[in-house]
Amino acid sequence: MIRAYGAREVSSGILSMSVDKQSGLWSRVAGDGLDIATLLWAFRHDNPKRGNVGLALVLVAGVTLIDLLTAQKVSARHARGRRQAQDFSNRSGFPRGLEAVRGLARKDM
Protein backbone atom coordinates (compact mmCIF):
# COMPACT_ATOMS: atom_id res chain seq x y z
CA MET A 1 0.00 0.00 0.00
CA ILE A 2 2.84 2.40 0.82
CA ARG A 3 4.46 1.76 -2.57
CA ALA A 4 1.16 2.38 -4.33
CA TYR A 5 0.69 5.66 -2.45
CA GLY A 6 4.29 6.60 -3.28
CA ALA A 7 3.74 5.88 -6.96
CA ARG A 8 0.61 8.03 -6.84
CA GLU A 9 2.60 10.90 -5.33
CA VAL A 10 5.34 10.60 -7.94
CA SER A 11 2.84 10.55 -10.81
CA SER A 12 1.00 13.56 -9.36
CA GLY A 13 4.32 15.39 -9.08
CA ILE A 14 5.26 14.63 -12.67
CA LEU A 15 1.85 15.74 -13.88
CA SER A 16 2.14 18.93 -11.80
CA MET A 17 5.35 19.82 -13.61
CA SER A 18 3.89 19.11 -17.06
CA VAL A 19 1.95 21.42 -19.34
CA ASP A 20 -1.34 20.42 -17.69
CA LYS A 21 -0.57 21.67 -14.18
CA GLN A 22 -4.21 21.81 -13.14
CA SER A 23 -4.71 18.06 -13.45
CA GLY A 24 -1.57 17.39 -11.45
CA LEU A 25 -2.55 19.75 -8.68
CA TRP A 26 -6.10 18.43 -8.44
CA SER A 27 -4.76 14.87 -8.39
CA ARG A 28 -2.65 15.90 -5.40
CA VAL A 29 -5.79 17.14 -3.64
CA ALA A 30 -7.55 13.85 -4.40
CA GLY A 31 -4.52 11.92 -3.16
CA ASP A 32 -4.52 13.97 0.03
CA GLY A 33 -8.16 12.97 0.53
CA LEU A 34 -7.17 9.33 0.17
CA ASP A 35 -4.34 9.84 2.68
CA ILE A 36 -6.77 11.40 5.17
CA ALA A 37 -9.23 8.54 4.71
CA THR A 38 -6.46 6.02 5.36
CA LEU A 39 -5.29 7.87 8.44
CA LEU A 40 -8.85 8.14 9.77
CA TRP A 41 -9.14 4.38 9.44
CA ALA A 42 -5.96 4.01 11.55
CA PHE A 43 -7.16 6.56 14.16
CA ARG A 44 -8.86 3.89 16.27
CA HIS A 45 -8.94 3.62 20.04
CA ASP A 46 -7.26 0.23 19.95
CA ASN A 47 -4.28 1.55 17.95
CA PRO A 48 -1.28 1.97 20.29
CA LYS A 49 0.17 4.60 17.91
CA ARG A 50 -3.03 6.68 17.87
CA GLY A 51 -1.10 9.82 18.88
CA ASN A 52 1.21 9.45 15.89
CA VAL A 53 -1.78 9.02 13.61
CA GLY A 54 -3.36 12.16 15.07
CA LEU A 55 -0.21 14.16 14.38
CA ALA A 56 -0.06 12.77 10.84
CA LEU A 57 -3.71 13.77 10.31
CA VAL A 58 -2.97 17.34 11.35
CA LEU A 59 0.06 17.53 9.06
CA VAL A 60 -1.72 15.98 6.09
CA ALA A 61 -4.69 18.32 6.62
CA GLY A 62 -2.28 21.28 6.45
CA VAL A 63 -0.71 19.99 3.25
CA THR A 64 -4.19 19.36 1.84
CA LEU A 65 -5.15 22.96 2.54
CA ILE A 66 -2.04 24.21 0.75
CA ASP A 67 -2.65 21.87 -2.21
CA LEU A 68 -6.31 22.92 -2.39
CA LEU A 69 -5.51 26.63 -2.38
CA THR A 70 -2.78 26.15 -4.98
CA ALA A 71 -5.06 24.13 -7.25
CA GLN A 72 -7.80 26.74 -6.95
CA LYS A 73 -5.43 29.61 -7.76
CA VAL A 74 -3.92 27.85 -10.77
CA SER A 75 -7.38 26.86 -12.03
CA ALA A 76 -8.63 30.43 -11.66
CA ARG A 77 -5.59 31.80 -13.47
CA HIS A 78 -6.00 29.41 -16.38
CA ALA A 79 -9.79 29.48 -16.54
CA ARG A 80 -11.13 29.82 -20.04
CA GLY A 81 -14.21 31.80 -20.83
CA ARG A 82 -13.80 34.26 -17.99
CA ARG A 83 -12.04 36.84 -20.09
CA GLN A 84 -13.86 38.77 -22.77
CA ALA A 85 -12.88 37.70 -26.25
CA GLN A 86 -10.57 40.18 -27.94
CA ASP A 87 -11.71 41.76 -31.18
CA PHE A 88 -9.02 41.93 -33.84
CA SER A 89 -11.35 42.72 -36.75
CA ASN A 90 -9.83 46.19 -37.19
CA ARG A 91 -6.31 44.81 -37.68
CA SER A 92 -4.92 43.86 -41.06
CA GLY A 93 -1.61 42.32 -40.11
CA PHE A 94 0.27 44.88 -42.19
CA PRO A 95 2.37 47.39 -40.21
CA ARG A 96 1.40 50.38 -42.37
CA GLY A 97 -2.19 49.27 -42.98
CA LEU A 98 -3.99 47.89 -46.02
CA GLU A 99 -4.05 51.14 -47.94
CA ALA A 100 -0.24 51.31 -47.96
CA VAL A 101 0.13 47.86 -49.52
CA ARG A 102 -2.68 47.93 -52.07
CA GLY A 103 -1.32 47.66 -55.57
CA LEU A 104 2.32 47.00 -54.56
CA ALA A 105 2.38 43.63 -56.33
CA ARG A 106 1.28 45.27 -59.62
CA LYS A 107 3.94 48.01 -59.37
CA ASP A 108 6.78 45.46 -59.17
CA MET A 109 5.76 43.79 -62.43
Side-chain angles (χ1 to χ4, degrees), residues 52-85:
N52 292 349
V53 175
L55 178 61
L57 270 168
V58 170
L59 295 174
V60 171
V63 170
T64 302
L65 180 63
I66 292 169
D67 286 343
L68 181 63
L69 292 173
T70 303
Q72 287 176 340
K73 291 284 185 182
V74 169
S75 294
R77 175 179 276 177
H78 296 288
R80 296 174 191 249
R82 286 184 141 196
R83 295 186 294 187
Q84 188 174 356

Side-chain angles (χ1 to χ4, degrees), residues 17-97:
M17 292 186 290
S18 71
V19 176
D20 190 14
K21 293 180 184 342
Q22 293 178 44
S23 297
L25 293 170
W26 283 111
S27 69
R28 285 188 53 84
V29 173
D32 291 342
L34 184 61
D35 292 343
I36 289 173
T38 304
L39 288 167
L40 284 173
W41 175 81
F43 195 64
R44 300 183 312 264
H45 291 289
D46 63 338
N47 186 351
K49 303 239 178 182
R50 188 169 194 249
N52 292 349
V53 175
L55 178 61
L57 270 168
V58 170
L59 295 174
V60 171
V63 170
T64 302
L65 180 63
I66 292 169
D67 286 343
L68 181 63
L69 292 173
T70 303
Q72 287 176 340
K73 291 284 185 182
V74 169
S75 294
R77 175 179 276 177
H78 296 288
R80 296 174 191 249
R82 286 184 141 196
R83 295 186 294 187
Q84 188 174 356
Q86 294 182 347
D87 181 22
F88 295 110
S89 63
N90 63 343
R91 296 185 183 180
S92 67
F94 297 101
R96 290 178 274 147

